[in-house]
Amino acid sequence: MHPAWSAAEYDRTLLRAALAEGDRCWDAEANLLQVEAPYNPIHTRIKGGLAHPTRNSLHYALLLLERGSEGDAERAHTVIRRIAGLQDRSPENATYGIWGYYAEEPAAEMEPADWNWADFLGIALLLVDARHGKGLPADVRHELRESLRHAAASIVRRNVHLTYTNVAVMGTFVTLAAGKLLDDEELFVYGKDRMVRLSQAIDSTGSFTEFNSPSYWGVVLQTLTLIREHVTDKDVLELNDRLHDRLWLHFLARWHPPTRQLSGPMARCYSNDLGVPPFLAKAVGGLLGAPEPRPVRGEMATGVESCVDYRMPDWVRPRLLELEGAHEHRELFTGSPAPETGTTWLDPVTTLGSVNHQDTWLQRRALFGHWVRPDGTSGHLHVHLMKDDGAEDFDFASGVLSTVQSGPHVAWLTGFACPAGDRHHHLDMIEPGDRFRARSLRLVVDLIGAPPVAEASAVDGGIEVDLGTARLDFRLAGGAFGGRTPTARLVPHTDGVRIEVVLFESATPAELDWAELGDTFAAGTLSLVPSGTEQGARPAPDVEVDVAGDRAEVRWTTPRGNRLTVCGGRSVVSREAHAALHFATLDGAAPPSPRLSDSLLVP
């Protein structure tokens, strides 16, 4: 731990910041927090305006009990009673055991409901009982435990697929802890069996299906910590300790000490700049700093971190602070039928990561990295697919990005799938025969933190961007979209610079039908390299793009002398068909790292 670090003082800081925001948002008439609802394109029909959130309000009740000032307990009790009344407790309903996001919108009226609320609120209920249950009035404790019983029953009924990593772990904790609290042996046995099945699912590849997700890595770390704190079963705790170590290994494999950022690829991500979230600051004992928390919109989650006793394994510390030399890490995330393999390059200036095959939902980071800027801060490279529909410009979920990587060099190919999502990868599907509105479709390379007027030049038909300490080489080598040839351009961007591969562009929005467009793909190469080094040798110009049948193929010999080949669909087909067409090979590639593949189930 850092010598100046005080976990207790940081917990008090987290608690004060969250409660200041909670007190500001308190609505005494509703006995809940009231916030300006953020825009959310999925699940809820409430896209703005004032609303009363259920999860944040329950978190507020927990934190009031933690503070324990005059009147706090009474207010917390009213919130718990109110939350209990908002739960769907009718077993015959599809939304049994869960809550809506807001008091104004019951779960049954959502589009669709979010069953994860049984897990998230279940954890909050367990923390209230574990830390303050003995001081609750009898009626409040009864309602809390009834809410927990129904939430746990919903989790068992749903029996989520264990590849949904963060929710699978949360539901395991809720059923284990609630089984003991409610003296429900059948529920506890379900939770214990689920812990074994979860470990088996992870053992199948040695990694996590929901791989390298900063936010959900934090959720899993929190939940494994809570299992250690609140579950006493010896068999569960042995598995939990090994899973905890596996989670840290997974994090460190892509942790880049020079930028203090996680590199790509990431299955899910909400921000390109990880920063130092409270869970990470606490887990590493202040080694990375502990910035002042700034909760927004009635958010209480940072305060809840004060209730969790994170502990970092001793062997993490040196790898957190110092890069183990320039190296490449490869890892199998999921197995058949469409294996996902990630590759990450890390050196003292740059880091770049890619996954061999992934959709382009806004939470994905299929090709993503960082570099150390001249002032020592980090810049971010983010490749994503964007659609302008005439009203908004947003990440388009119907794309498919295929890559193969050697060191800091990547060959890439992007295409489109149907049926597939518009904004979300499965909740707002564009089906065969549907027409959809678009003014433009662009594959975008955002260089966030690049000099506002970056020095760029054309090199062998590509675009080279001088980042000061590093250089980006980007090449569009081929493609087609509805009879047009895609073009690449460098454009200004608010936070840096942007390269756009324009697949489709129109002065006014057009109604597109995939069946009418024919070939729809783009292909090329990308390198992110330190300036003035042998590793930073300029890519050779001889990139080959061939089309044959229903496939497009990219072949490239990198400056490292490796032959990269990536193949994908050249026209719009289903995701499954894209997966069947896809392959990516790297001549002389090492197999995915065995470091994460030791069985969790064998001590």
Side-chain angles (χ1 to χ4, degrees), residues 237-246 599-603:
L237 291 178
E238 286 181 356
L239 269 182
N240 193 69
D241 285 347
R242 291 198 288 277
L243 187 52
H244 186 260
D245 282 354
R246 177 76 58 84
S599 173
L600 291 166
L601 296 169
V602 179

Side-chain angles (χ1 to χ4, degrees), residues 513-591:
D513 183 339
W514 289 127
E516 299 172 355
L517 292 172
D519 285 354
T520 52
F521 77 97
T525 65
L526 180 151
S527 301
L528 179 66
V529 295
S531 300
T533 63
E534 182 178 347
Q535 183 62 51
R538 284 182 168 80
D542 55 341
V543 184
E544 303 170 12
V545 177
D546 290 336
V547 292
D550 50 5
R551 305 193 315 178
E553 183 174 301
V554 184
R555 295 188 297 274
W556 180 39
T557 301
T558 76
R560 306 178 88 197
N562 296 115
R563 181 77 165 179
L564 305 183
T565 304
V566 61
C567 177
R570 62 187 280 194
S571 59
V572 179
V573 293
S574 69
R575 287 175 181 158
E576 293 76 15
H578 270 289
L581 291 167
H582 165 76
F583 71 79
T585 62
L586 162 59
D587 291 351

Side-chain angles (χ1 to χ4, degrees), residues 213-226:
S213 167
S215 297
Y216 293 111
W217 183 88
V219 170
V220 175
L221 181 68
Q222 181 191 85
T223 311
L224 295 179
T225 302
L226 293 175

Side-chain angles (χ1 to χ4, degrees), residues 131-190:
R131 298 174 71 88
H132 305 283
K134 293 181 180 179
L136 297 176
D139 71 306
V140 174
R141 196 173 194 190
H142 171 77
E143 287 299 327
L144 182 151
R145 293 189 173 193
E146 279 297 290
S147 286
L148 187 57
R149 181 170 68 84
H150 293 297
S154 173
I155 290 169
V156 174
R157 175 189 285 188
R158 183 188 185 193
N159 199 29
V160 71
H161 199 287
L162 296 175
T163 56
Y164 194 175
T165 308
N166 79 95
V167 177
V169 177
M170 286 195 294
T172 300
F173 168 60
V174 172
T175 51
L176 283 167
K180 285 299 184 185
L181 179 65
L182 302 174
D183 197 25
D184 185 334
E185 184 63 20
E186 184 178 351
L187 181 61
F188 179 79
V189 169
Y190 169 86

